[in-house]
Amino acid sequence: MRTLLKIEDLHVSYGAVRAIKGISLEVNDGELVSLIGANGAGKTTTLHTISGLVPAESGSITLDGTDLRKIAPNKIIEIGLAHVPEGRHVFARMTVEENLAMGAYIVRDKAKIKRQLERVYAHFPRLAERSRQLAGTLSGGEQQMLAMGRALMTEPKMLLLDEPSMGLSPILVKEIFSMIKTLHSDGITILLVEQNAKMALSISDRAYVLETGLISMSGKAQDLLHDDKVRRAYLGA
Amino acid sequence: MGEFLQTLFVGLRLGSVYALIALGYTMVYGIIRLINFAHGDFIMVGGYTLIFTVPLMTAAGMPAWMAVIIAILVCALVGVGVELIAYRPVRKKGTNMTALITAIAMSLFLENLAQAIPAIGPNPMVAGTFFESGGFRVAGVTLDYTTIYTIAVSAVVMLLLYVFTQKTKMGRAMRCVSEDKSAAILMGISVNKTVLTTFAIGSGLAAVAALMYIAQYPSVYTTIGSLLGLKAFVAAVVGGIGIVPGAMLGGLVIGLVESFSTAYISSSLTDTFVFLILIIVLLIKPAGILGKNVGEKV
């Protein structure tokens, strides 16, 4: 299997606070890997560092061999990495369709944009129904679908998903996770950050457990799901 | 009736000028949350550029108002320069307060720089005429061409701006950056480029406002932008700062308040009423007339 994303000995600090203290992880082509851990463990920071929103202090991050640390944050999308941020960050004052069009900001080919729009609508029929509605008036679950659909507009090689289940009702959480599973089976490589460890592990191939800036455990998602330590710490069992 | 109409048109003319200037404040505020106190001084830059380039235009056999094209370019360059040299470095290292103080400093710097230039100096300079005198009579009042052109040009410019922000890629990028900077970056938008474009457009609009203003009041001096800029800023706040249609509406409101209070109450209290309106609007709608939070569900 080919390694798509590779992080080696990554360190990140906010001023004097060391958020990430030397982590290494890999995501292979076509894999769904989750990064679980408690609040403040550094999960979101890790994703922000991958997409360049937060600068790394040291270490390396490569996507398909390309050094991401040498690429401007707004150019990351151009090499096929899309990031769905925590809290969705949809453009509230724009319509659903305008949001999706912004997702294809770097795409010049109008026919491709149209094709992608149709694919996204096929994936998320709810978005098609609400295409003219302002994104700020959507429900949390719909905003999450919009954020994911927007990230898919460039046909990225890899998706970074940050807390997709945050603030959603149990039914919607299930719905969102089954959508993530579908994206995965369509062949998109995904790095998923979740507090809902049980759900994340149940759909992932592999997982890493992040604890105060360090990776404490890693392995097959199924194994972690049945690991006593993980169960006690993150699955409430 | 005649007086009412006359006052209405004066108000619309003044309001159009305020709206054009208010757009510059509101666009920059929308995108980097900075009140660009130097924006009023871009009007001064535009005014002097017009004074010095009109003779060139007439010498070349062109109409005087064509000088506004050069003024737009000069103002856009000054706006971009101020952002690059002063604001961007401060934004990177400092806080919002440092940026605000830098803006005040840039304002004073531009005014004093103008005075220090021998060709300008401390005394007001008089501009020639830009539009033909006269006008036509409607319902018993004479509408002069300057008023008609000012209202018409502002309306067209604002319409173009609206189309630009809604339909073009750069315009949409501007809306995205103003709404959510980090999400905009993730879409592949270059924030720096977008901010520069915003400064260029906002400052260019100030040049158009300068033309319209000095076509009516042909005296240009180094502090011409102080009160004019302040009132336009009030207009932007009244309409809802950061919101493009808000600046247009706020400009018209301030212009009309000015003209009607001058005509019907007292010309010496005009500015009082402008600020009174500001206080009233802020008491009733703190975010401005069009300012409201979009209901964001989580």
Side-chain angles (χ1 to χ4, degrees):
Chain A
M1 238 189 298
R2 191 168 59 109
T3 303
L4 195 57
L5 178 76
K6 193 179 174 89
I7 297 179
E8 275 176 311
D9 197 27
L10 179 68
H11 291 258
V12 184
S13 298
Y14 296 108
V17 183
R18 292 170 65 211
I20 302 291
K21 306 164 188 164
I23 64 167
S24 300
L25 63 86
E26 284 178 17
V27 181
N28 295 320
D29 197 13
E31 256 190 328
L32 199 178
V33 172
S34 51
L35 190 58
I36 59 174
N39 235 340
K43 305 185 298 285
T44 295
T45 300
T46 305
L47 292 196
H48 278 200
T49 313
I50 296 171
S51 53
L53 294 177
V54 171
E57 208 177 355
S58 64
S60 85
I61 310 171
T62 56
L63 184 82
D64 230 353
T66 313
D67 187 352
L68 293 188
R69 288 186 61 191
K70 290 210 178 101
I71 295 178
N74 66 309
K75 300 285 179 198
I76 299 265
I77 183 90
E78 288 179 21
I79 58 164
L81 181 68
H83 182 163
V84 182
E86 180 182 10
R88 289 100 201 190
H89 287 263
V90 296
F91 300 111
R93 288 196 292 265
M94 291 183 164
T95 65
V96 167
E97 193 143 320
E98 282 179 310
N99 266 274
L100 293 175
M102 288 321 296
Y105 181 76
I106 58 159
V107 182
R108 275 156 214 263
D109 178 2
K110 287 230 167 87
K112 190 186 168 190
I113 297 177
K114 204 163 168 253
R115 210 163 53 236
Q116 279 305 110
L117 193 64
E118 275 158 20
R119 279 181 64 178
V120 167
Y121 280 154
H123 255 300
F124 307 103
R126 199 91 60 85
L127 296 182
E129 287 165 28
R130 312 207 164 217
S131 62
R132 290 178 185 283
Q133 201 171 317
L134 287 183
T137 65
L138 297 177
S139 74
E142 289 162 347
Q143 288 194 2
Q144 184 59 44
M145 291 177 209
L146 178 56
M148 281 162 42
R150 188 179 62 179
L152 291 171
M153 287 297 290
T154 48
E155 261 191 303
K157 283 185 233 171
M158 181 168 184
L159 267 188
L160 304 177
L161 291 179
D162 199 349
E163 302 280 5
S165 77
M166 195 174 70
L168 301 184
S169 70
I171 299 171
L172 272 170
V173 171
K174 269 196 181 146
E175 205 176 321
I176 292 290
F177 272 93
S178 88
M179 285 167 180
I180 296 171
K181 226 172 140 180
T182 315
L183 293 177
H184 173 45
S185 56
D186 283 358
I188 299 176
T189 309
I190 298 171
L191 178 59
L192 170 67
V193 155
E194 258 297 337
Q195 276 198 58
N196 189 335
K198 199 173 177 179
M199 284 299 275
L201 290 175
S202 69
I203 63 165
S204 300
D205 299 316
R206 288 189 304 116
Y208 293 86
V209 180
L210 199 56
E211 228 171 288
T212 55
L214 286 166
I215 285 171
S216 60
M217 262 187 285
S218 65
K220 283 203 167 124
Q222 283 305 313
D223 296 346
L224 288 173
L225 200 51
H226 298 106
D227 184 281
D228 279 345
K229 262 192 286 176
V230 175
R231 284 168 71 96
R232 264 197 308 273
Y234 304 106
L235 305 178
Chain B
M1 186 62 194
E3 194 193 354
F4 176 83
L5 264 184
Q6 191 79 52
T7 311
L8 179 71
F9 277 102
V10 168
L12 289 177
R13 186 192 68 221
L14 276 169
S16 305
V17 173
Y18 289 141
L20 285 175
I21 305 166
L23 281 169
Y25 280 105
T26 231
M27 286 167 71
V28 165
Y29 181 85
I31 214 149
I32 51 173
R33 298 289 179 271
L34 168 77
I35 296 162
N36 179 15
F37 279 111
H39 186 67
D41 301 292
F42 296 165
I43 306 163
M44 179 262 298
V45 172
Y48 282 116
T49 309
L50 286 168
I51 285 194
F52 290 116
T53 51
V54 162
L56 302 177
M57 280 293 157
T58 35
M62 311 252 241
W65 63 266
M66 289 276 275
V68 77
I69 296 168
I70 301 170
I72 290 172
L73 292 177
V74 171
C75 279
L77 273 178
V78 170
V80 165
V82 167
E83 152 67 5
L84 278 179
I85 296 164
Y87 298 160
R88 185 183 290 179
V90 170
R91 230 178 15 256
K92 256 188 199 148
K93 300 241 162 117
T95 60
N96 280 349
M97 187 53 80
T98 13
L100 198 69
I101 292 166
T102 308
I104 296 172
M106 278 320 292
S107 167
L108 293 171
F109 172 75
L110 287 173
E111 285 170 23
N112 287 287
L113 180 71
Q115 267 197 35
I117 295 173
I120 294 174
N123 296 320
M125 295 176 83
V126 178
T129 50
F130 287 93
F131 305 117
E132 62 263 56
S133 52
F136 52 83
R137 290 185 71 78
V138 187
V141 292
T142 307
L143 276 182
D144 58 290
Y145 286 120
T146 305
T147 301
I148 297 166
Y149 290 150
T150 302
I151 297 170
V153 167
S154 307
V156 169
V157 165
M158 286 188 251
L159 189 71
L160 286 177
L161 185 70
Y162 181 76
V163 172
F164 172 79
T165 55
Q166 296 297 318
K167 300 289 174 205
T168 67
K169 226 171 164 177
M170 184 37 98
R172 286 180 172 196
M174 279 166 59
R175 285 163 64 205
C176 285
V177 174
S178 101
E179 210 179 301
D180 193 325
K181 202 163 287 164
S182 62
I185 294 171
L186 294 178
M187 302 299 108
I189 295 167
S190 160
V191 172
N192 281 341
K193 225 162 84 183
T194 313
V195 172
L196 283 183
T197 312
T198 307
F199 269 92
I201 294 176
S203 319
L205 293 177
V208 179
L211 169 71
M212 297 313 179
Y213 190 74
I214 66 175
Q216 189 69 32
Y217 310 102
S219 164
V220 179
Y221 42 98
T222 53
T223 53
I224 189 173
S226 302
L227 190 59
L228 198 54
L230 185 59
K231 284 193 207 162
F233 172 61
V234 167
V237 173
V238 163
I241 191 141
I243 305 162
V244 167
M248 302 176 186
L249 180 68
L252 291 182
V253 168
I254 296 302
L256 289 170
V257 166
E258 234 186 273
S259 70
F260 277 96
S261 63
T262 304
Y264 292 99
I265 303 171
S266 158
S267 60
S268 57
L269 287 176
T270 304
D271 293 346
T272 314
F273 281 102
V274 167
F275 293 102
L276 190 65
I277 286 290
L278 173 71
I279 293 168
I280 292 170
V281 168
L282 288 185
L283 282 176
I284 301 168
K285 288 206 74 183
I289 299 173
L290 297 184
K292 58 175 174 244
N293 294 322
V294 176
E296 272 176 85
K297 293 189 208 159
V298 179

